[in-house]
Every structure is written in structure tokens, then in C-alpha cells.
Amino acid sequence: MMNRIFTWAARRILGRADHLALSSEMEELYQYRLARDGKHAADRWLRRERRRAVGHLAGIRAADLPDPEPPQPLTTTPTLRLRETMYNMIRELRSSLRGLARTPIFALTIIATLAIGIGGATAVFSVINAVLLEPLPYPESSELVRISNHARGQDWVFSVADYLALEEQQTRFEGVAAMAWNRATYASGEATERMLVHSATPSFFSLLDLRPEYGRTFTAEEGEPGAPSSALVSWGFWNREMDGDPAALGRTIRLDGQDVTVIGVLPRRAGPLLADAEVVTALQLAPPARKGPFFLVALGRLGEGVAPASAAAELRTINERIFPLWQDSWPDQETTWAMTGLKEYVVGDVGATLLIVLGAATFVLLMVCVNSASLLLARLMDRRRELAVRTALGATRGQLMRHLLTESALLSIVGAGAGLLVTVSGIRLVTAFGADFIPRTNEVGLTGPVLLFFAVAATASLVLFGLFPSLRGTGAGVARDLRESGHGAGTVRSASRTRGLLVAGQFAVSVPLIVGGGLLLASLTKLANVDPGFDADRVLTMNVAVPNDRYPSAGELSEFWRSLLTEVRSLPGVEEAGVGTGRPPSEYPFTNNFVLEDQPLAPGETQPTVPWVVASPEYFHALGSPLVAGRMFDRTLDDPDPDFIVLVDRAWATRFYDSPEGALGRRFRAGGCTGDDCAWFRVVGVMENVKYSGLNGTSQGVVYMNADQAPNRNSFLVVRAAPDQDPLGFIPMVRNLIRQAEVEAAISRVASGDDLLRADLRVPRYLAILVGSFGAISLLLAVVGIYGIMAYYVRQHRRDIGIRLALGGEPGNVIGLVLKNGLGLVAWGVTAGLVGAVILTRFMDTLLFGVEPTDPYVLGASLGTMALVAIAACWGPARRAARVPPREVLAEE
Amino acid sequence: MSRDTLGEFEHMVLLAILRLGGEAYSVPIVLELEERTGREVAQAAVFIAMKRLEKKELLTSRMDDHAVKETGRVRRYFQLTEAGREKLRETREALVSLWDGISTQLDRA
């Protein structure tokens, strides 16, 4: 240290040549003394000599010295000046590097935290940018809207009746289009697979201005009912299944047992509406007999200069106009038509979540800066004598700033570089794993705005953590530090106060993160403990779809399923096998509306709607869902019955008849059918509740129809393995049986019961982990901060503490004093943070399950954890304070 | 002739140079001073004093290019100027006249 100051001072005061001469001559004398007095004495002399030299150098005035040697006859060309500047910069850089290399832990801590802070925030921003900020990848996308049915705060899709009326009567839109999201079975000759096959009206492509990569889009004729089927295939499908051959246009592929002509190839990036679609077929809409079913996503492009309000008004008018036409099958007068921006529809409610995560990431970045600033400030206080000497030797404030800023710039540049790596891996993670619950993830990347955000974040952190301590470290107080021997000098006191504020701020920032993470964790635990209504152990499920052209009659189809189930059941180690169109905890094929025979509705009243599942009798046994009341399906009794025989679940029974027994024998009509020739559905049994709308969903009741009576081409096979058997072990055997029974059957979405439960918890788990780790990081940073400041406090007050102890003060009291000091800071921060937490967590309401944002246990546990951690962090310095040896401290003076 | 008087340390440094033949660099000067006075002398102080004396034109200096080439060592040699020698003479006369007749008193006391 002294050596560095000496070098610096000598060069500055004496000039380069004399600095060299003096150093060299000192070295010469050192060698002489080494030979004469031995190493120990010579080393001591050298240290003394350097210290004295600094004093002498500081004591002289420039006026006392001859003018430095006439500078070499330099012609100061810009190149030379540049070289001079470069030389100075490199010298500063090297000196900073040396300084940092001496304190590697300090440097690495700052670099690592900066990388996490900057990289994390940028990665989150890259997602927000792609999902929320970037317009949809369609030209003039702000004019695009999604049109839906709307009632009681909920939006739902259009029916064919709705869409045809809209298409015919609207005047405010440049165009409208509809699409339906479906799965279909694709048979290639070698294999059969189930894939996403959407269908769209011919107007869909012109509305979005989506041009095919090859070929063409649908003509109006191809959208007419009865026209030959045609399709566009995705870029991926075309490359995989058709070898990327443009000549493949015009060929046919087999979808659901039908020949479909390929007329075009979608572009590689087809936009979020078709993101996962493999094939898009022409949607052919025939005039319907009744209002339902509802399955069409309707889109519109607002006409030139049309105010959204007037378009919305027209939508309501059309809906009122057609209401009387369909009143029989849809008597709900509350339902109206509404429109939302297409982007809001695509993004959905993920926006709020993303903003919360961005908030968390920004908080962490802020804390990282604060912490780095605090660390730098602490180091600065250790170096204040060096800085004071430099000031005394005539270094201007600007030069000191340059010196300190070089150091922080170096740290933040390396930190930001590492942050870029964190960003890239973050983006990889999101695009790999986030696609299931974040829309538009394939648009996430290191785009211009993201790099801009990165640059701003990096610069802002440099300013925050570099400039601030530099200003602090070079202020007027520095000169005083040289004269006073260090105790309680002005700079130290005010710098300590600043650090105290920073540390309190850190605790303030980490409270909302910890509380938020705690709430999400509590809600995850609640979710994981929800009874899914089925016994997930030993269960294997898979989707099996039979092509449309096989088993034309219901009898043949149910015979197919029955024989398949018999085969599967006969496998050794299989306990039971059944089929059903739903799969707990979050899949059901559709909902249906109905009117109870004994609870008729007044005109205009809304019919209740519940999930509708078609299942074989063994399905319930295979899932482990028991019968609560009444009886199971029984074809000998059911087939001759004029009514459709159904089962309901406990939730349905208690919703309408207060008890399971009360529901037995009740009848209803379904699907908006109200005429006298409509079929009755009769309840003969009540099953225990099974979750179909997610573990966090509340059951409104479920209706089960008998798969033997109303078989479905597309069902889930549910297999229960015998005890001690691994359900996943049956996959190859079951696959073989299905293939033998029907070679064209498509098998997909194979999962064990545990897989299903895990999948349903994935989003809440990701969120809890994400916010929780932000919270943990922030707490860690805050702890490092409080530890640092208390350790410094003890070092600063060593003398006072020593005196106190010498005068008979109890070590316990000293510990108490230090703890009080540290925890006082923490208390201020936490109080401020609590206010923030109460405000912020209110926005998390929709993400929570079974936990209130102000849950006292979570709040208590979060604060308790923080208090414990803070006490632990202050304990070390406090103990050290109590062990200060009074005699030594006093002798030091 | 300059109006300035020599400081004690400057005086000692100039005398040491003179003892060393009128031209010297800091190392032999320090050793000379230490040997003669029995006190440790700060090398930087000697160096700085000589720079100051150079400013007062009592010394001139040169870098020893030969030593740089031969040994890699950098030395600055200082040489007494005529003004320097004159200053020493002046100082000696002033001191001698002050001491005149009082040395016996000092020894007795």
C-alpha cells in the first residue's frame, strides 16, 4: 500500500525521470544495507524510508523544485495525445486490476451479484417484451380484435350460428374470420399420430395478412359445406412429413381417415394463433339447427377510421337482433357480444404474472446495486487514508473520481458481461420450458429492445453503484481524514449513515419478495394437498383416437372399446382398465347446459353448465373413485330404458338436491333442447367428486354418460396396476394391444397419475420457485449488507467499546448495544417493506389458492425468518465487540 | 549572491558533496552523512533537498547515462556550482565569525 502511494506521489511531485532515479537509488541503498545489516533490518528500513519519503514529498511545494525536465520535443498531434490518454487509461486499469486482484472475494461478490441482477432482469424483460410489448406479428395488428360471447364477466367462444350472423350482418369491420382448435389423427402409412389440426375460414388468412410460404390459401369455394377438404401444413410438418418438397403441393394426406389435399405451406413463424398447429384445414360452416355448440374463435379487423365503441355497439345490436331466432335453444338474455384486442386475448392473464416477476427482478437488481455500492463504500472507508494522501499530494477530485470510477466501471463491465450470459441462459430456459404457460415464447429472443434494456440496466447499475460511492469518497471530508487520525471523522460518519440507509432499504425491498414467495409457496402446498378425487398411485393413462372411417355404428365402436378393455385387463399385473373422455385433474372434453325437470327456468334465465364426461363403468374403479349413492351403469337395465342413464358427482347432487341420495331418479334435458321430443337424462348413481378443472378449480358438478351407450372415438384409456407394479411398465404391452386391435389408432399423451398431478402443479411451482428465489437472493444480499455494516460499526467503535469494558461494562450489554443498533436498522427497513408488501401482494390475488394475501401465518413466518436471519447476521459482530480486549485497545492509542 | 541562507540540512548535504569530490548521488551522500552524524538520514529528504538546491542554482545535476547502460541503474548526479561553493564559503565565514572566541565558554559550561 505504502509502496503504491510512494510511487504515485514520487511520480507526481518529482516527475517521471526523478521518480525513476530516486527509486533506483533507494534500491541501490537497500542492496547495500542488505549486505551490511541483513534482510530484516534492510526491509524495515525500506518500509520506514518509503513512509518518510511520502511525508517529505507531501511537505514540499512545487515552487521549491526546479521545473521538471523540459518535456521531450513532442509535437502534440492528435495521435500522440490519444496515445497519451490510452497510456493513462491503461495505467489506471492496471492499477485497478491489481487492487481488485488483492481482494478477489470482494470483486467476485460484486461481479456475481451484478450478473444475477442485470441478467435476471433482462431475461424477464425479454419475455415481457415479446409477450406484452411487441405487437402481434401480423401487419397493422392493433386493428385486430377477438369477438366473443360475454355474460357475467366471462367471455366465451362463438357458435356457428353466431359467426354466420356476424359475417352476414356486420358493417364496421373490414373483415371477420373464424377458427377452431382441434386435434386429429394423422396416418402416414408408417405411423399414426394425434396432432393439433386447426381449421379456419378462407377469410382468416387475408384478415391477418398471413401469406403462405408456398402454394396458396383457401378459396371461398373451399369454405363451402361439402367442398373437397383442403389444408395448409405447417413449416415443420412440411419438412418432416413431406421432405420439404415444394412439389408435394397437391398431394393428399390422411386426417381422421379422410383424404385432405395440401394446397399450401405456412411460413416458419405463423404467429401465435397457429403457433403449434401442424395442419390447418378449411373450416366449412353449414347453417345450424340450434344456437350451440360453441367452439369458434371469431376475429375481426376494424374498418378504416371506425371507432372501437361503434363497432362494439354494432356487435350488441346484431346479437339482440338474432336473439329471438335462437331463443328456444339459448334463452339466456344476459349474453351479449363483446370484443377485446387480439393481443390481450392471446396474452391472456399471464400479463399480470409477468409484471410481478419483472417487479421482483427489478427489485433484486436495485438491491444488487445497493449492495455493491455498500461494499464499495466500505472498501472506500478502508482506503480513505490512501485517498487522503493522494488529495494532500494534490490529486484533484476529478482524478480521484477517475481512479474510483475506473474500478467500478471494470467491475460493472465484467458483471454485465456475465449478466449477458445469465440472460441468454434465461431465455433458453423460457423458450424450452415456458411454452406451456406463456404465450408467444417462440418470439422471445435477444432483440433490439432487449439489448437496449440490458444496456440501460447495466449503465444504471454502474451509475448507482459506482458514481455514488465515488462522490462520497472524494468529498471535502477526505482532506480532514489526513489530519484527524481517523476516529469519527466526518466522511466516516456520514458514509456510515448512508450505508445504514442502504441496508435498511435492502430489507425494505426484500420484504415484499419474501412475503410474495411465502404466499406462493403456501398456496402451492395447499394445492399439492388438494384431494384430486382419484388415487394417482399405480394409474396409467393415455389418449387413444380411432379414425372416423372405422366402426361407423355406435355398436361397432363400443364393441371395439369393450374388447380392447378385456384384453388390457387380462394382462398380468393389471387390476382394472376403463375408458373415459375426461382425465383428471384438468381435462374434460366439453361442458353442456341443461334444465332440471323439477326446477324449470323462467324465460331468459341462464341454464346451469357443467363438464360432461363419457365413461365406461370400469373407468371409476380404475381411477379409484367410489360410488356414493345409487347404482353403477348396467346395460341390462340401461339399454331398454327410454331415458339416457347418467351418473353425477357429489358436487352436482348437493348443488341441486342438497344430498347425494336426493339426486337419484331426477331427470333433465340437455344441450338447449327444450321440445317435447327431446330426450330425458336420468340420474341413477352419484360418484365421489373428481377434479376435472384443475386442482385449484372448484367443482360445479359433473355429468357422466355411459361409454357403452354413447361411445366416443377419442377417449382416455385408464389402467390401474396391481399393488407393487409400476404403472409405466405397462406402456409397451398396452401399446401393442391397441395396435393389434386397431392398426390406425393414434396413441398420445401417455402419463401416469403422478405425472398428471405434477403437470397441474407446474405453473404454481415455477412461480413459487421464481419469486421465492428472488426473495432468497434479496434476503441474502440484505444479510450480507447488515453483516458488513455491523462489522464495520464494531471496528469503528473498538475504542469506545474497549473503554466501556475497561470501566466495568458487561459484555452482555455490549452485545445488546450492537444488536440494538443493527436490528434498529432492520426494523425500519422491514416496516417500510411491510407497507410495500401489503400493496403489492394484493395484485397476486388471482395467483393464490386457499391463501389470503394478508395470511397472518405467511406474514408472521416471513417476518420471523427475516428477524432470525438478521439477528444471526448481527450476532457475529456483536460477539466480536464483547471480546474486545480493553487493555490492548487503550494501549493502541 | 543570493539573499537566502542555507538550512542546516542543506548545509550538511552540500558539505557531504564537497567531501565526496564535488559531485555525488544520493547513496554515498546518505552513507557519508550517517557515518559523520551517527543518525539515520532519509534518502528522499536528501534527494528532495538537492532538487531544491538545484532550483537555487547551488547545484547542477545530470542523469548518469553510463550507469543506465552498464548496470541498469538510474542515478542523478549533483555537482556543486560556483555559486554553491561561494555559498559554503560565505556560510563558513559567518559561522566562524560567530564562533570566534566563544568555544572555550561553551566547553566550560
Side-chain angles (χ1 to χ4, degrees):
Chain A
M1 168 70 70
M2 213 19 113
N3 189 17
R4 225 170 71 194
I5 302 177
F6 165 72
T7 306
W8 189 84
R11 187 186 293 264
R12 186 171 172 78
I13 305 286
L14 297 172
R16 191 155 172 267
D18 277 315
H19 162 230
L20 272 177
L22 179 56
S23 307
S24 173
E25 289 170 25
M26 275 169 76
E27 169 68 18
E28 212 180 320
L29 191 53
Y30 171 77
Q31 293 298 339
Y32 176 85
R33 288 186 195 272
L34 190 64
R36 193 186 68 184
D37 307 334
K39 179 154 171 56
H40 183 66
D43 283 346
R44 278 189 48 179
W45 169 81
L46 189 63
R47 275 199 298 277
R48 209 161 51 232
E49 184 64 36
R50 282 190 179 135
R51 205 162 49 234
R52 279 190 308 221
V54 171
H56 286 296
L57 287 166
I60 58 179
R61 288 173 297 143
D64 293 338
L65 294 180
D67 290 332
E69 262 124 274
Q72 287 83 350
L74 281 181
T75 41
T76 49
T77 63
T79 334
L80 278 172
R81 268 203 301 278
L82 183 69
R83 205 186 283 171
E84 174 78 12
T85 318
M86 293 290 289
Y87 173 77
N88 283 338
M89 269 176 60
I90 290 169
R91 212 180 52 198
E92 281 292 0
L93 268 180
R94 284 176 51 180
S95 125
S96 297
L97 273 177
R98 272 198 306 273
L100 292 176
R102 266 197 295 274
T103 48
I105 294 187
F106 163 82
L108 283 180
T109 309
I110 289 192
I111 289 171
T113 52
L114 272 180
I116 292 172
I118 297 176
T122 312
V124 174
F125 177 79
S126 73
V127 177
I128 297 225
N129 179 59
V131 176
L132 295 182
L133 301 183
E134 288 285 323
L136 294 178
Y138 306 116
E140 315 276 339
S141 63
S142 59
E143 294 168 358
L144 294 170
V145 294
R146 181 248 179 162
I147 302 164
S148 58
N149 277 300
H150 178 92
R152 297 166 290 276
Q154 284 202 312
D155 289 320
W156 71 96
V157 285
F158 261 28
S159 67
V160 176
D162 289 328
Y163 178 70
L164 291 178
L166 171 73
E167 192 181 35
E168 191 183 285
Q169 301 184 26
Q170 68 85 13
T171 61
R172 303 268 128 189
F173 297 92
E174 213 176 282
V176 292
M179 67 179 299
W181 292 354
N182 282 313
R183 280 172 190 280
T185 303
Y186 164 69
S188 68
E190 293 150 28
T192 312
E193 66 182 299
R194 199 79 187 141
M195 53 175 57
L196 287 173
V197 173
H198 298 343
S199 43
T201 56
S203 58
F204 178 83
F205 295 93
S206 56
L207 185 87
L208 298 179
D209 205 359
L210 189 64
R211 299 198 180 99
E213 194 70 33
Y214 296 103
R216 58 175 178 86
T217 57
F218 305 125
T219 60
E221 290 71 41
E222 282 164 332
E224 295 295 328
S229 290
S230 54
L232 285 98
V233 295
S234 75
W235 179 263
F237 183 95
W238 181 61
N239 277 298
R240 201 176 59 239
E241 302 290 334
M242 315 180 93
D243 305 321
D245 180 9
L249 295 181
R251 230 186 265 168
T252 59
I253 52 175
R254 267 187 96 66
L255 283 181
D256 278 343
Q258 249 197 317
D259 282 331
V260 179
T261 310
V262 175
I263 58 157
V265 178
L266 291 171
R268 190 192 306 259
R269 289 175 180 267
L273 289 173
L274 298 177
D276 304 314
E278 296 286 3
V279 179
V280 181
T281 58
L283 187 58
Q284 301 174 343
L285 301 175
R290 60 184 191 105
K291 174 87 178 228
F294 300 88
F295 63 96
L296 290 175
V297 177
L299 309 171
R301 186 185 280 278
L302 284 173
E304 188 87 23
V306 173
S310 84
E314 186 185 67
L315 289 178
R316 284 192 294 274
T317 315
I318 298 175
N319 178 60
E320 277 163 30
R321 204 179 293 149
I322 65 168
F323 177 77
L325 299 177
W326 310 105
Q327 199 165 10
D328 284 348
S329 57
W330 190 262
D332 181 3
Q333 244 168 346
E334 263 185 71
T335 303
T336 176
W337 286 358
M339 61 183 216
T340 46
L342 184 59
K343 190 160 107 178
E344 287 146 60
Y345 166 64
V346 167
V347 170
D349 56 3
V350 79
T353 312
L354 284 179
L355 287 176
I356 283 179
V357 176
L358 180 68
T362 314
F363 271 142
V364 167
L365 176 58
L366 203 65
M367 291 196 49
V368 163
C369 291
V370 165
N371 216 52
S372 306
S374 181
L375 278 173
L376 271 185
L377 211 54
R379 198 168 118 98
L380 217 60
M381 282 189 269
D382 286 340
R383 291 173 60 185
R384 68 184 190 285
R385 273 187 72 83
E386 176 204 335
L387 295 174
V389 168
R390 287 178 178 229
T391 312
L393 293 179
T396 59
R397 190 171 188 193
Q399 279 164 328
L400 282 190
M401 291 266 296
R402 193 177 69 194
H403 175 73
L404 294 174
L405 272 178
T406 308
E407 199 172 77
S408 35
L410 205 62
L411 287 172
S412 67
I413 286 168
V414 178
L420 205 55
L421 294 181
V422 173
T423 305
V424 171
S425 15
I427 289 178
R428 287 233 181 102
L429 277 179
V430 168
T431 42
F433 299 110
D436 290 344
F437 54 95
I438 306 175
R440 306 180 71 188
T441 43
N442 51 3
E443 296 172 48
V444 177
L446 269 187
T447 54
V450 175
L451 288 175
L452 187 70
F453 180 91
F454 171 77
V456 170
T459 317
S461 50
L462 167 63
V463 170
L464 258 176
F465 102 91
L467 200 56
F468 178 62
S470 308
L471 285 172
R472 270 267 167 236
T474 58
V478 176
R480 218 162 40 230
D481 284 354
L482 193 60
R483 291 195 298 276
E484 301 170 22
S485 61
H487 297 296
T491 325
V492 175
R493 231 187 348 255
S494 80
S496 292
R497 205 165 44 229
T498 315
R499 282 190 78 197
L501 264 178
L502 293 181
V503 168
Q506 286 182 350
F507 276 91
V509 163
S510 50
V511 172
L513 291 178
I514 300 265
V515 171
L519 287 173
L520 290 171
L521 206 66
S523 128
L524 178 68
T525 316
K526 285 253 165 83
L527 266 183
N529 287 324
V530 162
D531 178 13
F534 73 104
D535 179 11
D537 288 347
R538 297 189 277 128
V539 165
L540 172 69
T541 66
M542 61 186 73
N543 185 267
V544 181
V546 188
N548 283 354
D549 55 343
R550 312 295 303 268
Y551 318 105
S553 75
E556 286 166 280
L557 192 56
S558 66
E559 185 48 41
F560 161 77
W561 286 118
R562 254 202 308 278
S563 71
L564 175 64
L565 291 179
T566 314
E567 298 265 357
V568 173
R569 223 170 283 136
S570 66
L571 283 174
V574 167
E575 200 175 279
E576 183 61 282
V579 292
T581 55
R583 176 164 72 167
S586 52
E587 288 167 88
Y588 60 87
F590 62 92
T591 59
N592 205 351
N593 53 322
F594 55 88
V595 187
L596 298 166
E597 188 179 23
D598 50 7
Q599 296 177 20
L601 294 172
E605 253 187 295
T606 308
Q607 298 182 5
T609 307
V610 297
W612 210 265
V613 174
V614 180
S616 73
E618 308 83 9
Y619 171 84
F620 302 98
H621 183 206
L623 281 179
S625 171
L627 184 71
V628 183
R631 65 167 177 89
M632 185 41 75
F633 294 129
D634 182 344
R635 291 193 71 181
T636 51
L637 297 172
D638 300 348
D639 281 357
D641 204 295
D643 295 342
F644 273 111
I645 298 304
V646 297
L647 303 175
V648 296
D649 69 350
R650 185 194 283 274
W652 191 97
T654 46
R655 178 176 168 190
F656 299 109
Y657 296 102
D658 296 331
S659 73
E661 290 72 23
L664 298 177
R666 308 288 181 169
R667 300 203 303 173
F668 57 83
R669 281 186 164 137
C673 193
T674 48
D676 286 340
D677 49 349
C678 291
W680 286 106
F681 292 74
R682 197 172 81 243
V683 177
V684 298
V686 179
M687 306 302 304
E688 192 49 84
N689 289 334
V690 176
K691 294 261 179 196
Y692 286 101
S693 19
L695 290 174
N696 59 349
T698 41
S699 183
Q700 299 288 309
V702 176
V703 172
Y704 294 104
M705 285 181 69
N706 189 351
D708 281 345
Q709 280 191 314
N712 210 290
R713 296 188 172 277
N714 179 9
S715 285
F716 290 101
L717 180 63
V718 181
V719 180
R720 169 166 296 276
D724 313 324
Q725 296 282 338
D726 175 16
L728 294 174
F730 292 102
I731 294 173
M733 288 174 273
V734 173
R735 254 182 206 284
N736 270 341
L737 288 178
I738 297 171
R739 288 257 183 279
Q740 282 164 23
E742 171 52 64
V743 73
E744 277 195 36
I747 304 164
S748 63
R749 293 188 278 160
V750 181
S752 73
D754 293 329
D755 293 339
L756 295 172
L757 292 182
R758 255 197 308 277
D760 206 56
L761 290 175
R762 202 162 48 166
V763 176
R765 182 175 292 130
Y766 271 130
L767 253 182
I769 289 175
L770 205 60
V771 177
S773 19
F774 278 133
I777 291 172
S778 72
L779 186 59
L780 188 71
L781 291 173
V783 162
V784 170
I786 189 79
Y787 176 83
I789 197 170
M790 288 330 288
Y792 195 78
Y793 172 87
V794 169
R795 196 144 34 103
Q796 263 334 105
H797 293 79
R798 216 171 123 80
R799 188 159 161 267
D800 304 349
I801 294 167
I803 293 174
R804 203 179 255 260
L805 290 171
L807 294 178
E810 289 290 323
N813 288 344
V814 170
I815 292 182
L817 179 79
V818 176
L819 284 184
K820 199 181 112 195
N821 237 294
L823 296 182
L825 282 179
V826 174
W828 275 112
V830 167
T831 311
L834 264 184
V835 177
V838 167
I839 296 171
L840 287 178
T841 49
R842 254 194 291 169
F843 296 103
M844 292 176 58
D845 216 12
T846 52
L847 303 174
L848 299 179
F849 173 82
V851 183
E852 287 295 309
T854 51
D855 186 84
Y857 295 104
V858 171
L859 280 179
S862 308
L863 295 186
T865 309
M866 295 188 81
L868 277 181
V869 169
I871 290 174
C874 295
W875 188 251
R879 282 293 296 261
R880 214 170 309 139
R883 291 209 196 103
V884 165
R887 203 170 301 188
E888 257 178 55
V889 173
L890 296 177
E892 277 168 18
E893 289 308 308
Chain B
M1 195 187 89
S2 121
R3 283 168 288 122
D4 296 334
T5 50
L6 281 179
E8 187 205 359
F9 192 63
E10 291 172 339
H11 192 182
M12 284 159 62
V13 170
L14 286 179
L15 286 175
I17 295 176
L18 196 60
R19 293 188 80 88
L20 291 165
E23 186 180 50
Y25 70 104
S26 69
V27 174
I29 298 173
V30 167
L31 295 173
E32 179 73 17
L33 285 173
E34 284 186 356
E35 201 188 344
R36 295 279 158 188
T37 62
R39 280 189 304 174
E40 197 176 284
V41 177
Q43 195 174 8
V46 171
F47 194 94
I48 291 166
M50 292 194 292
K51 291 296 284 183
R52 204 153 46 213
L53 291 166
E54 190 182 3
K55 166 96 178 180
K56 294 178 182 169
E57 294 175 355
L58 303 179
L59 291 175
T60 59
S61 74
R62 63 176 174 90
M63 294 301 278
D64 179 13
D65 293 332
H66 181 70
V68 176
K69 282 189 203 113
E70 291 292 299
T71 61
R73 286 196 162 128
V74 186
R75 292 172 182 166
R76 184 178 282 282
Y77 277 89
F78 290 87
Q79 193 177 20
L80 273 172
T81 61
E82 197 38 54
R85 289 169 191 272
E86 180 56 35
K87 190 79 180 177
L88 276 177
R89 259 178 240 127
E90 233 173 70
T91 312
R92 184 185 57 185
E93 276 160 27
L95 288 177
V96 165
S97 88
L98 274 172
W99 276 105
D100 193 23
I102 55 169
S103 53
T104 44
Q105 287 182 28
L106 186 69
D107 288 339
R108 236 186 338 221

